[in-house]
Amino acid sequence: MKLGVNIDHIATLRNARGGIEPNLVEAAKIILKHDVSALTMHLREDRRHIKDKDLYDIKALGANINLEMAATKEIQQIALDIIPHSVCLVPERRQEITTEGGLDVNSQKEYLKEFIKPLKDKGIKVSLFIDPDEKQIQASKFIESDYIELHTGSFSNAFEKGNYKAEFEKLSNGAKLAQGLGLKVNAGHGLNYQNVYLMKEIKGLCELNIGHSIISKAVFIGINSAVEEMIKLVN
Ligand code: PXP
């Protein structure tokens, strides 16, 4: 299983003062020295963390970018210009603190099927950030996505409360169903150094996308050690 590191949180810290520190490109260079599969970046419609220029700067490093994005024409144009390694379509509400809940693929199947075509035509792998729900998984298959990313937020919250079995089962069953349909399966959101070991019990997960816990740990032990420690837990 591979680790994708979400670097939005470094941009959030930088933007707090409106300057250039901490420098996102320098952080990316350090992270890329480790065995990570991608740098995950969410270009939000309000640009609250990652800015357009960040994408071009990180792309220039030759990094595999996993671009999290809303399914809007504006961001699609940017994706088609940048050609990230992969995109992950996420729901986006302006007022939310982070991505709350998975994308409702089922209610916009036809729109999304058309939306991803030009991305796939450019060789960009497409993923959909969904809850481990049968309808959403079937819809993801219908629109011919390459991957799904299972939203682990509910599991992570339940883990914190010490009662995660039901949420874990949902993830595990969801992964099995998706893999049976030929979809590749990633997971992410809220994963941390305590709960990530359980992801290894879900067979065949390709990649975990983790950000907040890694950047939080980096405050105490540095980004090199924080990334390395997470890689050890994920592998
Ligand atoms: N995957 C997706 C689709 C996300 O939206 C996020 C949050 O930006 C993550 C993974 C990473 O979540 P966290 O920062 O909680 O590790």
Side-chain angles (χ1 to χ4, degrees):
M1 196 158 50
K2 303 295 280 182
L3 173 67
V5 179
N6 183 317
I7 58 172
D8 296 348
H9 311 285
I10 299 171
T12 299
L13 188 56
R14 175 198 62 190
N15 297 351
R17 284 289 171 95
I20 59 161
E21 283 183 333
N23 187 297
L24 197 70
V25 173
E26 291 310 314
K29 282 184 190 165
I30 295 170
I31 295 167
L32 289 169
K33 286 195 183 128
H34 299 269
D35 184 19
V36 298
S37 50
L39 296 178
T40 292
M41 304 168 79
H42 186 173
L43 189 67
R44 281 187 164 263
E45 289 174 278
D46 62 7
R47 308 297 198 270
R48 72 171 71 149
H49 36 59
I50 297 296
K51 313 281 185 197
D52 300 44
K53 181 175 180 306
D54 294 327
L55 284 174
Y56 289 93
D57 289 347
I58 302 295
K59 174 78 182 181
L61 297 177
N64 269 355
I65 295 176
N66 173 38
L67 176 63
E68 287 177 11
M69 55 180 272
T72 65
K73 291 285 171 201
E74 184 219 354
I75 311 279
Q76 184 195 46
Q77 277 312 310
I78 295 169
L80 290 171
D81 191 41
I82 297 215
I83 316 282
H85 173 257
S86 58
V87 298
C88 181
L89 300 186
V90 300
E92 194 169 305
R93 286 180 289 276
R94 279 187 187 231
Q95 300 311 320
E96 68 189 358
I97 295 173
T98 181
T99 317
E100 290 155 13
L103 184 68
D104 185 358
V105 181
N106 191 48
S107 71
Q108 43 181 343
K109 282 198 289 252
E110 304 297 340
Y111 171 74
L112 290 175
K113 193 169 180 156
E114 284 308 306
F115 184 86
I116 68 172
K117 271 187 188 152
L119 299 165
K120 289 183 68 152
D121 287 348
K122 291 263 187 182
I124 303 168
K125 298 276 175 238
V126 174
S127 181
L128 305 169
F129 188 47
I130 59 169
D131 291 319
D133 173 88
E134 180 172 353
K135 253 199 217 149
Q136 301 300 341
I137 294 167
Q138 295 285 1
S140 302
K141 171 68 183 170
F142 172 82
I143 78 158
E144 296 173 26
S145 178
D146 301 295
Y147 287 82
I148 58 167
E149 178 170 326
L150 291 175
H151 194 317
T152 51
S154 298
F155 158 77
S156 299
N157 289 339
F159 185 91
E160 198 98 348
K161 295 188 185 117
N163 187 14
Y164 60 83
K165 289 272 184 311
E167 293 299 332
F168 178 78
E169 283 287 296
K170 284 186 205 165
L171 291 172
S172 191
N173 292 338
K176 221 181 278 170
L177 172 64
Q179 287 158 351
L181 293 171
L183 292 160
K184 296 195 191 86
V185 184
N186 298 330
H189 208 286
L191 296 175
N192 59 32
Y193 294 84
Q194 288 72 46
N195 65 24
V196 74
Y197 77 97
L198 282 160
M199 294 301 106
K200 293 207 278 198
E201 292 183 17
I202 301 176
K203 285 208 183 75
L205 287 185
C206 300
E207 184 180 79
L208 301 180
N209 286 307
I210 307 181
H212 192 260
S213 65
I214 294 175
I215 306 308
S216 301
K217 192 149 196 106
V219 171
F220 295 96
I221 66 171
I223 189 106
N224 273 308
S225 303
V227 170
E228 208 43 48
E229 221 175 277
M230 188 57 89
I231 287 172
K232 278 197 195 116
L233 293 173
V234 167
N235 286 342

